[in-house]
Amino acid sequence: MKAMIMAAGVGSRLMPMTAEVPKPMISLCNRPLMENSLRLLQRHGFDQVVANLHYLGQAISDYFGNGEDFGIELCYSHEKELWGTAGGVKRCAAFLDETFVVLSGDALTDIDLSALLRRHRRAGALASIALKPVEAVEEFGVVVLDAGERIKSFQEKPPRSEALSDLVNTGIYIFEPEIFEHIPAGEFYDFGLQVFPALIECGAPFYGFGIDDYWCDVGSLDTYRQAHDDILTGRVRVQPQGEVIASPWGRLLAGEGVRLGHEVVVKGSACVGAGSTIGEGVILENAVIWENSVIGPGAEIRDAIIGSGCHIGAQAVVGAW
């Protein structure tokens, strides 16, 4: 089975973390974020995958290669200029010649893709969207369904008082190849702004299916830290990389070669990347530290993210208060 991972975006909402690292490659519990998507696809039998690349795309292709290490066949669509969500998929039409899934390379989910595919096929859908109920509807695209789960309309980030639904677009799609008849070739084209409204207008079999599975749009520094906590507390079925060390006040994920000093205190969830050193008496509270960094003795890192190769001095205090 075939799938596409959308991995071309700049990830501007996560700056400065994405200044030198493409968003799909940011470390999430010591694995690149996109690796979780690839492993999810492989578990559900999707063994041929294409990823579109643009911003710092070489870092993605260098790490994942041809996908052999992840049990899939992986190829790439290089975009010298961005073609939009639908335009980028259209450029891969020759490869996507059967029912296919589209995933975002910058979201975290453990969705049951097999179950979603069965619902798509039972409905005889041309296009299907996985929908997640959320409270903060004003941050997402809201989807309105009829009684038969066909999509009636969309609302883009409506105020909560005006939202017609609490179901939001996760960016997880299933399409039949006929979807390409609705996407012009050779131009920038967007699913949300152009393709989906056109499907509703022409009465195409276009469905939305609510999911109970975990889904997180890792689109801000706060949701990035929250995703770490969700993994380390078992709220999402994702395997972290490293040793999980529990304490009375929290849990620490230590990557390969991490050196921990005496009396390090962990509160909430903390993740330390490979090769980093945490000095004696350091306090880590809801902190993420990337690889090869040094946190000096007595420092406090609270609700903060420390990048790769950083050196935080002794007794320094970093974070929110």
Side-chain angles (χ1 to χ4, degrees):
M1 294 193 292
K2 295 185 177 182
M4 181 166 181
I5 292 181
M6 308 297 290
V10 174
S12 57
R13 291 182 296 164
L14 284 177
M15 288 289 184
M17 291 197 306
T18 51
E20 298 181 356
V21 179
K23 188 175 177 183
M25 290 300 295
I26 61 170
S27 178
L28 189 63
C29 282
N30 296 333
R31 295 184 191 276
L33 177 55
M34 181 173 146
E35 184 173 332
N36 298 298
S37 296
L38 284 176
R39 293 187 182 277
L40 176 69
L41 288 167
Q42 193 274 336
R43 285 199 301 273
H44 288 277
F46 293 89
D47 54 358
Q48 297 180 68
V49 182
V50 60
N52 66 332
L53 305 180
H54 173 70
Y55 178 69
L56 300 176
Q58 190 70 40
I60 298 173
S61 57
D62 284 350
Y63 182 86
F64 293 108
N66 63 8
E68 182 179 4
D69 291 344
F70 305 91
I72 59 169
E73 296 177 19
L74 179 61
C75 59
Y76 303 96
S77 173
H78 297 270
E79 299 183 15
K80 291 184 178 180
E81 58 183 273
L82 290 173
W83 288 92
T85 52
V89 175
K90 176 75 170 186
R91 296 180 79 242
C92 302
F95 176 82
L96 300 170
D97 57 357
E98 59 185 54
T99 305
F100 64 95
V101 165
V102 172
L103 292 182
S104 172
D106 56 10
L108 177 66
T109 183
D110 59 8
I111 183 174
D112 187 341
L113 289 172
S114 300
L116 184 67
L117 183 60
R118 288 193 295 270
R119 295 170 77 179
H120 170 87
R121 285 173 168 161
R122 280 199 302 266
L126 168 66
S128 299
I129 302 178
L131 307 176
K132 181 71 176 178
V134 303
E135 291 187 9
V137 291
E138 64 274 10
E139 299 178 11
F140 301 99
V142 168
V143 182
V144 183
L145 305 177
D146 68 13
E149 298 184 297
R150 287 181 76 132
I151 295 176
K152 293 170 54 179
S153 63
F154 293 86
Q155 292 178 290
E156 184 58 29
K157 299 181 179 179
R160 197 173 306 188
S161 60
E162 298 177 12
L164 300 176
S165 163
D166 67 349
L167 296 172
V168 303
N169 181 357
T170 64
I172 301 170
Y173 308 136
I174 299 181
F175 294 119
E176 297 301 318
E178 289 75 20
I179 193 66
F180 295 119
E181 298 172 10
H182 300 268
I183 307 172
E187 63 180 273
F188 186 100
Y189 222 67
D190 186 83
F191 280 123
L193 295 177
Q194 293 163 294
V195 177
F196 293 161
L199 294 182
I200 294 172
E201 181 68 22
C202 73
F206 183 24
Y207 287 81
F209 300 115
I211 61 170
D212 296 324
D213 311 285
Y214 179 94
W215 172 79
C216 176
D217 173 26
V218 186
S220 70
L221 300 181
D222 286 340
T223 55
Y224 176 71
R225 289 199 309 272
Q226 183 63 52
H228 280 83
D229 186 66
D230 291 340
I231 291 174
L232 293 179
T233 55
R235 288 192 285 269
V236 53
R237 297 183 294 272
V238 167
Q239 182 66 38
Q241 184 163 297
E243 179 185 3
V244 178
I245 303 169
S247 78
W249 307 281
R251 63 215 62 80
L252 168 70
L253 175 65
E256 183 179 359
V258 165
R259 294 177 293 279
L260 296 176
H262 295 294
E263 298 182 346
V264 170
V265 176
V266 177
K267 298 180 180 180
S269 294
C271 174
V272 180
S276 290
T277 298
I278 310 299
E280 181 175 353
V282 166
I283 296 175
L284 301 176
E285 183 173 354
N286 299 321
V288 180
I289 299 165
W290 286 8
E291 68 274 9
N292 301 318
S293 287
V294 176
I295 311 299
E300 300 182 24
I301 314 295
R302 302 178 186 270
D303 298 314
I305 302 160
I306 307 298
S308 302
C310 294
H311 192 137
I312 306 300
Q315 307 300 322
V317 177
V318 179
W321 295 91

